[in-house]
Short mmCIF file of all heavy atoms in Angstrom, two decimals:
data_model
loop_
_atom_site.label_atom_id
_atom_site.label_comp_id
_atom_site.label_asym_id
_atom_site.label_seq_id
_atom_site.Cartn_x
_atom_site.Cartn_y
_atom_site.Cartn_z
N VAL Z 1 31.74 112.34 -153.23
CA VAL Z 1 31.45 113.27 -152.14
C VAL Z 1 32.22 114.58 -152.35
O VAL Z 1 32.54 115.29 -151.42
CB VAL Z 1 31.81 112.65 -150.76
CG1 VAL Z 1 30.83 111.54 -150.41
CG2 VAL Z 1 33.26 112.14 -150.75
N LYS Z 2 32.49 114.87 -153.62
CA LYS Z 2 33.26 116.06 -153.99
C LYS Z 2 32.63 117.33 -153.44
O LYS Z 2 33.34 118.28 -153.07
CB LYS Z 2 33.36 116.14 -155.51
CG LYS Z 2 34.24 117.27 -156.03
CD LYS Z 2 35.70 116.99 -155.78
CE LYS Z 2 36.58 118.06 -156.42
NZ LYS Z 2 38.01 117.85 -156.14
N ALA Z 3 31.32 117.37 -153.36
CA ALA Z 3 30.64 118.57 -152.86
C ALA Z 3 31.01 118.88 -151.42
O ALA Z 3 30.91 120.03 -150.98
CB ALA Z 3 29.12 118.41 -152.98
N TYR Z 4 31.45 117.87 -150.68
CA TYR Z 4 31.75 118.04 -149.26
C TYR Z 4 33.23 118.12 -148.96
O TYR Z 4 33.63 118.59 -147.90
CB TYR Z 4 31.16 116.87 -148.46
CG TYR Z 4 29.67 116.73 -148.61
CD1 TYR Z 4 29.12 115.80 -149.48
CD2 TYR Z 4 28.80 117.55 -147.88
CE1 TYR Z 4 27.74 115.69 -149.62
CE2 TYR Z 4 27.43 117.44 -148.02
CZ TYR Z 4 26.91 116.51 -148.89
OH TYR Z 4 25.55 116.39 -149.04
N THR Z 5 34.06 117.65 -149.87
CA THR Z 5 35.49 117.55 -149.57
C THR Z 5 36.33 118.57 -150.33
O THR Z 5 37.55 118.55 -150.24
CB THR Z 5 36.00 116.13 -149.89
OG1 THR Z 5 35.73 115.82 -151.27
CG2 THR Z 5 35.32 115.10 -149.01
N SER Z 6 35.70 119.46 -151.07
CA SER Z 6 36.43 120.51 -151.79
C SER Z 6 36.24 121.84 -151.08
O SER Z 6 35.79 121.90 -149.94
CB SER Z 6 35.96 120.58 -153.24
OG SER Z 6 36.32 119.39 -153.94
N SER Z 7 36.51 122.91 -151.79
CA SER Z 7 36.44 124.24 -151.18
C SER Z 7 35.07 124.88 -151.36
O SER Z 7 34.93 126.09 -151.20
CB SER Z 7 37.51 125.15 -151.81
OG SER Z 7 37.34 125.22 -153.22
N TYR Z 8 34.08 124.09 -151.70
CA TYR Z 8 32.73 124.64 -151.88
C TYR Z 8 32.19 125.14 -150.54
O TYR Z 8 32.45 124.56 -149.49
CB TYR Z 8 31.79 123.58 -152.43
CG TYR Z 8 32.16 123.06 -153.79
CD1 TYR Z 8 32.56 121.73 -153.95
CD2 TYR Z 8 32.10 123.87 -154.91
CE1 TYR Z 8 32.90 121.24 -155.21
CE2 TYR Z 8 32.44 123.39 -156.16
CZ TYR Z 8 32.84 122.08 -156.31
OH TYR Z 8 33.17 121.61 -157.54
N SER Z 9 31.40 126.19 -150.60
CA SER Z 9 30.73 126.70 -149.41
C SER Z 9 29.23 126.69 -149.66
O SER Z 9 28.77 127.06 -150.75
CB SER Z 9 31.19 128.12 -149.07
OG SER Z 9 30.95 128.99 -150.16
N PHE Z 10 28.47 126.23 -148.69
CA PHE Z 10 27.03 126.15 -148.82
C PHE Z 10 26.39 127.46 -148.38
O PHE Z 10 26.87 128.13 -147.46
CB PHE Z 10 26.47 125.00 -147.98
CG PHE Z 10 27.00 123.64 -148.36
CD1 PHE Z 10 27.07 122.62 -147.42
CD2 PHE Z 10 27.42 123.37 -149.65
CE1 PHE Z 10 27.55 121.36 -147.76
CE2 PHE Z 10 27.91 122.12 -150.01
CZ PHE Z 10 27.98 121.11 -149.06
N ALA Z 11 25.28 127.80 -149.02
CA ALA Z 11 24.55 129.01 -148.65
C ALA Z 11 23.99 128.85 -147.24
O ALA Z 11 23.58 127.75 -146.84
CB ALA Z 11 23.42 129.25 -149.65
N SER Z 12 23.99 129.93 -146.49
CA SER Z 12 23.42 129.89 -145.15
C SER Z 12 21.90 129.90 -145.25
O SER Z 12 21.33 130.44 -146.19
CB SER Z 12 23.90 131.07 -144.33
OG SER Z 12 23.52 132.29 -144.95
N GLY Z 13 21.27 129.27 -144.27
CA GLY Z 13 19.81 129.25 -144.25
C GLY Z 13 19.20 127.92 -144.58
O GLY Z 13 17.98 127.76 -144.53
N VAL Z 14 20.05 126.93 -144.92
CA VAL Z 14 19.56 125.58 -145.18
C VAL Z 14 20.54 124.59 -144.56
O VAL Z 14 21.76 124.76 -144.64
CB VAL Z 14 19.39 125.31 -146.69
CG1 VAL Z 14 20.72 125.41 -147.43
CG2 VAL Z 14 18.73 123.96 -146.95
N HIS Z 15 19.99 123.56 -143.91
CA HIS Z 15 20.83 122.52 -143.33
C HIS Z 15 21.06 121.43 -144.36
O HIS Z 15 20.10 120.95 -144.99
CB HIS Z 15 20.15 121.92 -142.10
CG HIS Z 15 20.90 120.77 -141.51
ND1 HIS Z 15 22.16 120.90 -140.95
CD2 HIS Z 15 20.58 119.44 -141.40
CE1 HIS Z 15 22.58 119.73 -140.52
NE2 HIS Z 15 21.65 118.83 -140.79
N VAL Z 16 22.32 121.04 -144.56
CA VAL Z 16 22.67 120.04 -145.56
C VAL Z 16 23.13 118.76 -144.87
O VAL Z 16 24.11 118.75 -144.12
CB VAL Z 16 23.79 120.55 -146.49
CG1 VAL Z 16 24.12 119.48 -147.55
CG2 VAL Z 16 23.38 121.85 -147.16
N ILE Z 17 22.41 117.68 -145.12
CA ILE Z 17 22.79 116.36 -144.60
C ILE Z 17 23.80 115.76 -145.57
O ILE Z 17 23.52 115.63 -146.76
CB ILE Z 17 21.57 115.43 -144.49
CG1 ILE Z 17 20.57 115.98 -143.47
CG2 ILE Z 17 22.00 114.01 -144.10
CD1 ILE Z 17 19.26 115.20 -143.42
N PRO Z 18 25.00 115.39 -145.11
CA PRO Z 18 25.99 114.79 -146.01
C PRO Z 18 25.49 113.45 -146.54
O PRO Z 18 25.07 112.59 -145.76
CB PRO Z 18 27.23 114.64 -145.14
CG PRO Z 18 26.73 114.65 -143.73
CD PRO Z 18 25.51 115.52 -143.73
N ALA Z 19 25.53 113.29 -147.86
CA ALA Z 19 24.95 112.08 -148.46
C ALA Z 19 25.69 111.72 -149.74
O ALA Z 19 26.50 112.49 -150.27
CB ALA Z 19 23.47 112.30 -148.74
N ILE Z 20 25.36 110.54 -150.25
CA ILE Z 20 25.91 110.03 -151.51
C ILE Z 20 24.87 109.10 -152.10
O ILE Z 20 24.04 108.53 -151.37
CB ILE Z 20 27.25 109.28 -151.28
CG1 ILE Z 20 27.92 108.93 -152.61
CG2 ILE Z 20 27.03 108.02 -150.45
CD1 ILE Z 20 29.33 108.34 -152.44
N GLU Z 21 24.88 108.95 -153.41
CA GLU Z 21 24.06 107.94 -154.07
C GLU Z 21 25.00 106.96 -154.76
O GLU Z 21 25.68 107.32 -155.72
CB GLU Z 21 23.10 108.56 -155.09
CG GLU Z 21 22.15 107.53 -155.71
CD GLU Z 21 21.07 108.16 -156.58
OE1 GLU Z 21 21.09 109.38 -156.81
OE2 GLU Z 21 20.19 107.40 -157.04
N MET Z 22 25.03 105.74 -154.26
CA MET Z 22 25.96 104.74 -154.76
C MET Z 22 25.27 103.85 -155.78
O MET Z 22 24.08 103.59 -155.70
CB MET Z 22 26.52 103.91 -153.60
CG MET Z 22 27.29 104.76 -152.60
SD MET Z 22 27.85 103.85 -151.12
CE MET Z 22 29.21 102.92 -151.82
N SER Z 23 26.06 103.38 -156.75
CA SER Z 23 25.53 102.61 -157.87
C SER Z 23 25.79 101.13 -157.69
O SER Z 23 26.93 100.70 -157.48
CB SER Z 23 26.17 103.08 -159.18
OG SER Z 23 25.96 104.45 -159.38
N SER Z 24 24.73 100.34 -157.79
CA SER Z 24 24.85 98.90 -157.75
C SER Z 24 23.89 98.31 -158.77
O SER Z 24 23.34 99.03 -159.61
CB SER Z 24 24.57 98.36 -156.34
OG SER Z 24 24.86 96.98 -156.26
#
């Protein structure tokens, strides 16, 4: 979930649902 927990900033104009793809 590095994209959500670091200093990244998302572009305005799109809603981002926090997600992950887990491996099994």
Side-chain angles (χ1 to χ4, degrees):
V1 290
K2 185 72 174 178
Y4 301 100
T5 57
S6 293
S7 57
Y8 297 114
S9 58
F10 300 152
S12 60
V14 62
H15 175 64
V16 181
I17 296 173
I20 188 173
E21 184 172 6
M22 299 175 75
S23 303
S24 188

